[in-house]
Structures are given as C-alpha cells and as structure tokens.
Amino acid sequence: MTTPQPTDNPPPDPAPPWHALPVEQVLARLACDPASGLSEADIAQRRAQGGENTLPEPPRRSTLAIIARQFKSPLIYILFVAAVLAIALSHYGDAVVILLVVLANALIGAFQEGRAERSMASLRRLSALHVRVLRGGHEMAIEARELVTGDVLLLAAGDAVGADARLIEAAQLQVAEAALTGESVPVSKAVPALPDETGLADRHNMVFSGTYATAGRARAVVVAIGTQTEVGRIAGMTESATEPQTPLEQRIAQFGRWLVVAALLLFVTVVALGLFRELPLADVLMVAISQMVSMVPEGLPVAMTIALAVGMQRMAGRGAIIRRLSAVETLGSTTVICTDKTGTLTRNEMTVGQLWLPGGLEVSVSGIGYAPEGELSVEDAATGPLLQAAALCNDAQLLPPEASRTEWSVLGDPTEGALLVLAVKAGIDLEKLARIAPREAELPFDADTKMMATRHRCADAPHRVFIKGAPEAVLGLCNAGDGALTQAARTAAEAMAGRALRVLAFAVVDDDRLDAGFGALAGRARLLGLVGQIDPPREEVKAAVAECRAAGIRPVMVTGDHKLTGLAIARELGIARDGDRAVDGAELERMGEADLRNDLDRIAVFARVHPAQKMRIVEALQAHGEVVAMTGDGVNDAPALARADVGVAMGITGTEVAKSAAKIIITDDNFSTIVGAVEQGRVVYGNLKKVILYLFATSIDEVVLLLLALLGGYPLPLAAVQILWINIVTEGTLTVNLVMDPPDGDEMKRAPVPKGDRLVDRTMLGRVLLMSSVAVLVTFGWYVWRLGQGAPIELVRTETFTLLAMCQWFNVLNCQSPTRSALALGLLKNPWLLGGLSLSMGLQALVLYAPPLNTLFYTVPLAPASLLLLAALASCVLWAEELRKLITRLGRRRVP
C-alpha cells in the first residue's frame, strides 16, 4: 500500500526545526508510516527530488591531468635538460628521440596510474557504508547513499548513522558524536521534543550522519540527507584527506633519493673522465646525462602503485577488502593472528543441542540448522518458562522459505536465531507469544555485562523481566540463598562448555524496575535453566591453521565464550597444542604485565575478555615483538582493531564501527580468508623486491660498462639515445609487468617478513653483484673483442646495445624467484611478463631494422646469425644465476 505523498517537498531546514516537533508531527510532515516505512514508489519519487545521500567528492582527475602529472618528476626534468642540450648542439635527431621517450614514458605511466585509480575506486565501493531500514514493511540492509528523507532507520549498538534523523523510538540508546560535536563520551538519546533554541550538541532526540550508536536500539526517521545534513553543511571540513604514504612507500622514496644522489655523483665522474680523455664535450655531456637517467629508478613508483593495486584486487577476489594501503605490506610481516571463534573459526550456524533445568534434568534436542525440524528428548513443565524466555528475550527473526530463498534463515544474531528454532521445535507459536506477552522495555546486550533483558506484560504478571546472558553473569543476579542450585548450574555450565557447547543462562524476575539497570535485579532473579548450543568448526580452518604454523604465524583465539568451550575448539583445530592453556577475563585481570608477557607463548585462548582487555592483549603481544592481526565485529572491538598492526573486521557480522576502525574487511567472516590475505601480502612485498633487484642490477651493468670504457681508453660503447632506450623502453616494458607475478607457491612456507626489512639486503646485493658482473663481462668483453677485430664502430655499438638489451631480458627471468629455476617456472606463469618481453623484443627489432629508426638511434641492421650468437652470450646471465640457485637448493637440502 502506497503511503500518502507529502503535499510539497520537505524543506531542508524546517521551521520549527525537527528536534522541536513531536514525533506525530514529524511523521505527518514527512508522510511516513513508522510501522512499514516507505514504499518503492515513495522512494523513487523522493530520490528524483532530493538526489543521492552523498557529500560532494573531489572531481575525478581527467586523462589529460593524469598525463600531465607524469611530467612532474626529477627524471623528466633531466630528460628535458638533455633534449635542450641536444638541440643546442644541433643533435636534432637525439632531441626528437628524447622527447618521444618522454612522451612514451608519460603515456605508459598514465595508463598504469589510471588503471590503479580505477581499481582503488572499485574497492572503495565494496567497503561502502551500509545501514538497516524499514521499507515496505520489511527490514533490509542498503547502502547509506540510497537513503531518502522519510526512510525509517533501524539502529543498534555498532551501527553507523547514515543521515540526520529524528528518533521515534529509543531503548537505552547512546551515540558517539565526537566526530561532529567533539563530545568525548557517548550521548544518551531520548524521544521527547526539545525547545527550538536547543544547540546541536544537546539535541538528544536527533541522530546525525557521521556518528554511530554505542549501545541500545532505536528507530528514527530520516529528515536530511547529503549536503543538507549537519556534516554536509561543513563538507569542506570533512572531506577525506589524501591517505599518507605507507612505511614501505616512504622507504622506497628514500631509496630513490639516495639513487638520485648517486646519479649526480656519477654525472660528475663521467664528465671528469671524458674531459680527461679529451672526448668531445657534447658527446660526454649527453652520455653523462643518459647514465644519470639510468641510475634514477623511474619505474619504481609506478611499480609500487601497481603492486599495491594488484594485491588489493587479488585480495578482494578472495574475500578480503583492503581499506588502508599500509595493511598490504604489514600483512606480510604478521606473526600473530588473534581471531574470534564464532563465525570465523566456526560456521556460525548455531544449533541448540542440550538444555539443563534446575533440579539437574538434562534435555537433548535433535535436528541441526535453522529448519525447525526435530524434537526435545523429554517433555517437562519446567521447560515451558525457559523456552518462553528464549523466544521473548530475543531480537532475531526466523524466516521461512519463500521465492527469494529456498531454506529457513535467520535475520539477526545466529545465537538468537537458534533459540527461536528451539522454541518452534517445542511447539511454541512465536507470533502468538509476542501478542500475548508484548515487550514493554529492554536492556540491550552489553559486552561489559554480558547480558540482555526484556520486560513483558504477561497474563499472570503485569511486569515480567526475562534475562539472558553468560552463565556467570546471570547466576550473579540469582537468589544467593540457593547456593546449591547456583553451584549445580556452574558445574553443569562447565561440563557443557567442555563439550564445546556455547552456554547461555536464562532467569526471570517479576519487576518493573528495568530502567534502573541490572543492579536493581541482583539477588532477586530466579534461574530458569541453561541452553547449550553447538557451532561446528569450518572444515577448511584446520588446514589454514596448519598453514599458519608452517608460515611462522601463531594463531590465538580471543573469544567471548567460556574458556573450556574455546579450549575444546582450539584443540580440535590445532590452535592449542600440548602445554598451551586458556585464560579468561577474570584471570587476565589478576595478571601483572610481566606475568602476562612471560606467559604469552603458552596462552592459546583468551576467553570472556572485555574490550579493554583485547587492547591489553594486543599491546602485550606488540611489546613482545609480534606483528599482530586482530579480528573483531562489535562496536567495542574498535579500539583493539585500531591498535593492532592489522585490524580485521567481519563483513557479515561486523558492525559499521568495527569496519571503519579496521584496515581489512573479510567478506565471508572466514579465518581461511585472513590466511589467504597474509599470503597475498607476502606476494606483493616479494614482487616489489623482484622489481628493485631488476632495476638495481640493470642500472649497475650500464654504469660499469661505461666507466670501464672511459678508464680503458675505448670509444663510448653506447650512444646517449641508446642508453635512454634501454632505460625507458626496454626496462619500462618489463618492470611493471614483473609485479604482476602470481604467487610462487611457497610464500606460506617462509618466515614472516621482518618488520622494517631492508629493501636491499645482503642476499639481494649478492645477486646484483653476480648478475651485473656477468652482464658486464659479456658485453664489455664482446665490445673490446669486436673493436680489436677492426669492426666499424656503428656495428660494434649496435651489437653492444642489442647484447645489453638481451641481458636485461634474461635478467627479468632471473628475478622471478630467488631459488626456483626460471626454466621450471615457465613464461606462461605470468602472461603480463610474457607480453612485456614480446613487446620489448618487437621494439628492439624496429630499432634494428626500420631505416628511420636506424638514423635516430645510430644503429645498423644485424644478420640473424649475429643475433643468435648475441642471444647465446646474453644467456650467460641466466646460466650463472641458475647455477647459484642450484647451489642454494642443494645447500638447503643438506640442512637437517
């Protein structure tokens, strides 16, 4: 049924303001039915009138702007100086080549940068803010950008507020508004209207875009979207700043600056040697500038951007959405993963398997899954109140099969869904029960109290409060005079937990003082019983845990369940091994910092921990030298997620607050996905190291070749434009494609990347020395030998130019793996690299055989037989590195 349309568009700043209007007038002005929300027709009309719920975004850079950005580089400035110098010396062909190289470099860089930007934009859309609304009588989750005025927002602890809205219902609602008002503590909210002049920070019947609920539940009607919200009015102050450089980007930038200094020293050295040799100044200057270009790692920034973008895309394809670039590099260094149990290690398909009733009666429950099929093993009058409490003290919905879904499903928390299934199995009509015992008030679940309570109007009691929560918390409210029952319940709860059951306790109080909190119920509650739920482990997690162990990563369970439940699951999955133990929140509270750090290596499970203790666990592990990934889903997990080296939020069960605090969102809530993301983090870092190795090795051989020729009294072995061609074109077609390498397959058999690992370590320097030495020996030896034969200098330079390019082709194959043979890897492993090699070879052929390019690059055509000989010589670079890899592999096999 279509809701009546408003007579005119809701004004963006109504008079009187929204907070001053009673709820009835707000709903009338917005023509909104709070029981069913807006219809599809209403939504379409209002979106056409008011647009999307978005703030102005910085304009997307045009293609021309991206191309222009490529010219803002020290490398390009050097090349322009070289072009001007060539023109001044009447070397017009050289100037044309240099300018064409500059243009080609800009186009390649613009293409790669544009592709990276599109990848980042698509990933940002994947992590867009979602909100819950009531539309057409149904609760649904939508992107916040889709909200329109008049939408009914549904808020619970951890939900982000997607638009400015007026409260129409509220139960213990608290909202964090620091981002908008600067208020450091959450603000309690209520429904009644307020005076017109009430300031923004005191409008307690409003919720605002950009804030989030920290406790309680509420319904609110949207009154402003987009630029009409309070945040929208100060949009200039809230625009997202450019993300700072990651530590790895900073280290690579510093590395690049060192190489620029080295390039300047090289320039001075080459000029000095050329003048000493009395070579033509023009030729010396051009070659010196070209060699300086060869020392500048022009391909490294682009390679870094592409490596991160490709890594993020691959992770997204496996269910891990990266929200902070720094997470990509930190993942490769992760040494500890602190993971929740429910839904991450287990399937989050809760099923009640056992009941315990006062008096010691145990009731088995058959059937698995959410289909209400199965039965209780016994019928007992005592089960009635327990099952009613399970159904009423509950915020989930049990949804039967229909056209859009083929199976029974749960809307809400799976634990509460399993309780509804239990009640239906026992023959309870949920809708009828809700009518005869309507809810009057509630205390929403709180991570600190580990309980929730609801008050109902029942036929035999005007005010009845049902309590649900952790056994130790609920038993603390029960009548202290019945110590035997309390002790029996504790023993039963521990026995159930030891069988890997998740245990909840239920109690009842006939009272109307719910607003006073749980303290007012202490000592007066009557225990109804215990409910044990089983959540089977995910089949793939045991293998993922073993993979973590092999990769030098220790998994640690951090759970809200009983420590015996957690320990049982941890032992089954291999998280807890012989000698490991579990510690609960109470024990952790009693431990000093020194004791905690000393025992960390033996604690596999932290149970019943509250948010502040999660933060303490992370900090203790970090103080122990660990790089910590921490999972979380609740609003109270946000501080620990932000404090961890890698905060991982759950995409299915996670609150919007947890997602905002995290660096990674796991879309399937699966531990195996986290392990896969760690592997990809190692792949990204490994590929960047491959690029650095390649650029370093290929730059050094050119420099040494030139210096040897100058010191030995030989003519310059390469023309300036030939040096530029090798550095810009030959390297440019290979560098970016090298970072596209897929995993080697042994990433998770290596130790974690040390935090602050050197970009150029001793092992890399050894490989650079070997590859450069062989390349220089081959090219310089050929150059000297051919000169000694009296071959024309143009032919010798062309052969040396081609031989050096071929050495770089073989070197890129060497860089694909530090230990595995390039012959075993195969070119088809990375089709991007195969394409780059093919392009580089084709361009080299053009330079050799196209007459106009012969003139520009001072080359002459080479006979096919000469090319085969040069290729055989260049392959010495490959065979030398293959020998080193073989020795390395044999050495590892001998290690016991």
Side-chain angles (χ1 to χ4, degrees):
M1 178 177 175
T2 302
T3 321
Q5 299 298 324
T7 54
D8 50 17
N9 295 337
D13 190 11
W18 295 110
H19 64 267
L21 292 173
V23 170
E24 295 77 12
Q25 291 186 30
V26 172
L27 296 173
R29 182 184 288 270
L30 292 168
C32 172
D33 182 354
S36 61
L38 299 176
S39 68
E40 289 296 329
D42 295 330
I43 295 164
Q45 181 182 15
R46 297 183 189 208
R47 182 168 293 122
Q49 295 170 346
E52 286 194 331
N53 179 34
T54 57
L55 296 178
E57 297 182 357
R60 185 175 177 179
R61 290 189 302 167
S62 66
T63 302
L64 287 177
I66 295 176
I67 294 175
R69 171 183 158 83
Q70 309 308 311
F71 293 96
K72 297 178 181 179
S73 160
L75 167 70
I76 301 302
Y77 302 151
I78 292 171
L79 290 175
F80 276 132
V81 169
V84 171
L85 180 61
I87 292 171
L89 298 172
S90 300
H91 293 188
Y92 300 114
D94 288 355
V96 169
V97 170
I98 292 171
L99 293 175
L100 287 175
V101 165
V102 168
L103 180 60
N105 183 70
L107 292 176
I108 292 172
F111 171 75
Q112 301 290 6
E113 188 171 327
R115 187 172 68 172
E117 282 195 357
R118 289 190 295 273
S119 298
M120 301 293 187
S122 64
L123 291 171
R124 281 194 293 269
R125 287 193 293 272
L126 287 176
S127 59
L129 175 66
H130 286 76
V131 295
R132 291 183 303 125
V133 296
L134 189 66
R135 287 181 171 180
H138 299 287
E139 179 181 332
M140 60 183 68
I142 64 171
E143 285 192 24
R145 66 188 301 124
E146 298 175 17
L147 286 171
V148 297
T149 53
D151 258 326
V152 177
L153 275 179
L154 305 177
L155 297 173
D159 287 345
V161 181
D164 289 1
R166 172 70 160 87
L167 291 174
I168 54 179
E169 292 178 16
Q172 307 292 320
L173 181 67
Q174 292 188 332
V175 178
E177 296 184 337
L180 183 64
T181 66
E183 180 61 47
S184 59
V185 297
V187 178
S188 296
K189 296 290 185 174
V191 174
L194 297 168
D196 286 19
E197 63 275 9
T198 303
L200 180 67
D202 297 319
R203 295 176 188 172
H204 299 322
N205 58 8
M206 298 283 296
V207 289
F208 301 102
S209 177
T211 65
Y212 63 89
T214 60
R217 295 194 307 123
R219 289 191 181 202
V221 60
V222 173
V223 298
I225 62 172
T227 57
Q228 301 303 317
T229 63
E230 295 296 335
V231 166
R233 298 182 190 195
I234 52 173
M237 298 168 58
T238 59
E239 286 182 3
S240 298
T242 302
E243 186 172 355
Q245 283 189 319
T246 70
L248 181 58
E249 287 175 319
Q250 293 171 358
R251 282 155 55 203
I252 283 184
Q254 180 63 44
F255 178 66
R257 286 192 287 270
W258 290 340
L259 288 182
V260 169
V261 172
L264 292 172
L265 293 175
L266 174 66
F267 175 82
V268 173
T269 302
V270 171
V271 171
L273 286 173
L275 294 177
F276 175 76
R277 288 274 317 279
E278 297 182 351
L279 296 174
L281 178 61
D283 291 345
V284 170
L285 287 175
M286 289 298 296
V287 170
I289 289 175
S290 301
Q291 284 289 25
M292 187 164 69
V293 169
S294 75
M295 286 293 293
V296 178
E298 67 280 351
L300 201 51
V302 175
M304 159 72 81
T305 302
I306 296 300
L308 292 174
V310 169
M312 292 172 71
Q313 280 185 316
R314 287 176 177 171
M315 290 182 194
R318 297 180 62 170
I321 299 171
I322 306 299
R323 299 190 65 255
R324 305 281 192 278
L325 279 177
S326 59
V328 178
E329 62 187 81
T330 310
L331 278 168
S333 302
T334 299
T335 58
V336 173
I337 300 177
C338 293
T339 174
D340 190 14
K341 176 181 73 69
T342 303
T344 308
L345 300 173
T346 62
R347 295 186 345 212
N348 204 20
E349 296 175 359
M350 306 298 295
T351 301
V352 176
Q354 186 177 0
L355 309 180
W356 181 90
L357 303 174
L361 179 64
E362 294 186 358
V363 182
S364 298
V365 183
S366 64
I368 60 173
Y370 294 134
E373 300 167 356
E375 57 185 19
L376 280 62
S377 61
V378 299
E379 296 291 337
D380 191 280
T383 63
L386 174 59
L387 297 174
Q388 287 184 6
L392 291 172
C393 189
N394 200 311
D395 290 326
Q397 297 179 47
L398 185 60
L399 305 176
E402 59 177 31
S404 60
R405 55 179 178 270
T406 58
E407 298 178 348
W408 287 80
S409 60
V410 165
L411 182 62
D413 186 88
T415 299
E416 294 191 318
L419 297 174
L420 296 181
V421 174
L422 169 68
V424 175
K425 286 180 180 179
I428 292 178
D429 185 330
L430 298 178
E431 293 185 359
K432 180 179 178 181
L433 181 62
R435 287 196 304 271
I436 63 176
R439 182 184 296 191
E440 296 179 323
E442 64 185 271
L443 286 175
F445 176 80
D446 183 84
D448 292 326
T449 63
K450 297 183 177 64
M451 293 184 291
M452 74 170 287
T454 57
R455 190 180 72 207
H456 301 264
R457 187 173 67 253
C458 301
D460 58 341
H463 303 291
R464 176 162 292 165
V465 175
F466 292 109
I467 306 166
K468 173 185 70 182
E472 62 271 24
V474 174
L475 290 174
L477 299 181
C478 292
N479 190 338
D482 197 347
L485 175 60
T486 300
Q487 184 55 45
R490 293 186 194 278
T491 301
E494 290 186 0
M496 294 167 75
R499 295 193 293 273
L501 294 176
R502 187 177 194 181
V503 186
L504 292 174
F506 290 82
V508 64
V509 182
D510 287 339
D511 199 310
D512 64 348
R513 292 182 295 171
L514 194 60
D515 293 342
F518 287 108
L521 307 177
R524 302 172 56 238
R526 176 170 58 86
L527 182 66
L528 295 176
L530 306 175
V531 174
Q533 301 184 0
I534 188 166
D535 184 13
R538 292 180 184 266
E539 295 177 359
E540 66 275 16
V541 166
K542 190 169 185 178
V545 169
E547 193 175 11
C548 275
R549 297 281 190 190
I553 302 170
R554 184 166 74 98
V556 175
M557 182 188 294
V558 181
T559 178
D561 273 352
H562 194 283
K563 72 175 183 179
L564 293 179
T565 304
L567 190 58
I569 295 291
R571 291 196 186 282
E572 181 178 350
L573 295 174
I575 293 175
R577 299 188 289 190
D578 293 342
D580 289 344
R581 63 192 184 97
V583 170
D584 63 23
E587 294 171 296
L588 183 60
E589 196 69 35
R590 295 192 294 269
M591 294 177 73
E593 289 302 319
D595 293 334
L596 174 59
R597 292 178 186 177
N598 289 335
D599 291 351
L600 273 176
D601 290 339
R602 296 187 297 275
I603 300 175
V605 178
F606 291 94
R608 294 282 199 248
V609 291
H610 56 70
Q613 289 177 323
K614 282 191 175 185
M615 178 91 79
R616 184 184 174 198
I617 292 167
V618 170
E619 291 174 343
L621 286 166
Q622 290 172 331
H624 212 248
E626 308 287 1
V627 178
V628 183
M630 167 69 82
T631 70
D633 55 11
V635 58
N636 292 319
D637 291 331
L641 291 175
R643 183 66 182 86
D645 297 284
V646 183
V648 183
M650 301 297 103
I652 299 174
T653 59
T655 61
E656 293 296 336
V657 177
K659 293 175 186 177
S660 298
K663 294 180 179 178
I664 298 177
I665 299 173
I666 301 299
T667 59
D668 58 1
D669 293 12
N670 193 332
F671 180 80
S672 299
T673 303
I674 303 173
V675 178
V678 170
E679 179 185 14
Q680 283 298 323
R682 294 186 177 189
V683 170
V684 169
Y685 186 76
N687 285 349
L688 282 173
K689 295 270 280 192
K690 294 175 187 179
V691 171
I692 293 171
L693 171 63
Y694 177 68
L695 290 175
F696 208 8
T698 54
S699 295
I700 287 179
D701 55 20
E702 297 168 33
V703 170
V704 175
L705 175 64
L706 175 67
L707 292 178
L708 287 176
L710 288 173
L711 291 171
Y714 296 101
L716 294 174
L718 297 170
V721 289
Q722 292 172 346
I723 297 173
L724 291 175
W725 176 270
I726 289 176
N727 282 281
I728 304 299
V729 180
T730 305
E731 287 183 7
T733 55
L734 300 176
T735 304
V736 171
N737 296 315
L738 188 56
V739 298
M740 304 289 287
D741 254 7
D744 293 337
D746 62 349
E747 281 80 7
M748 297 303 283
K749 296 177 183 176
R750 307 172 192 164
V753 177
K755 200 171 185 180
D757 183 45
R758 291 186 176 184
L759 292 175
V760 181
D761 54 24
R762 183 176 299 176
T763 301
M764 183 183 291
L765 282 174
R767 296 183 68 193
V768 167
L769 180 62
L770 175 63
M771 290 189 286
S772 298
S773 298
V774 175
V776 169
L777 182 63
V778 168
T779 53
F780 186 68
W782 176 264
Y783 177 67
V784 172
W785 180 70
R786 291 290 284 157
L787 286 177
Q789 285 188 322
I793 187 63
E794 293 83 1
L795 177 60
V796 177
R797 279 178 175 163
T798 301
E799 291 173 342
T800 306
F801 169 48
T802 303
L803 181 57
L804 192 58
M806 288 178 171
C807 286
Q808 300 206 3
W809 298 339
F810 283 110
N811 259 338
V812 80
L813 300 180
N814 286 333
C815 294
Q816 283 191 285
S817 174
T819 57
R820 297 176 65 187
S821 170
L823 305 177
L825 290 171
L827 282 175
L828 294 179
K829 172 194 173 187
N830 183 352
W832 291 94
L833 186 58
L834 177 60
L837 275 169
S838 300
L839 178 61
S840 182
M841 292 177 184
L843 293 173
Q844 187 71 22
L846 283 176
V847 170
L848 293 179
Y849 299 110
L853 295 181
N854 289 152
T855 303
L856 287 175
F857 288 93
Y858 308 106
T859 59
V860 295
L862 298 178
S866 298
L867 290 177
L868 290 175
L869 178 58
L870 293 175
L873 284 171
S875 69
C876 292
V877 174
L878 177 66
W879 302 124
E881 178 68 359
E882 285 294 310
L883 180 60
R884 184 203 64 81
K885 290 179 181 180
L886 177 61
I887 295 171
T888 302
R889 291 196 299 271
L890 292 175
R892 288 182 177 180
R893 288 176 187 172
R894 293 195 186 101
V895 176

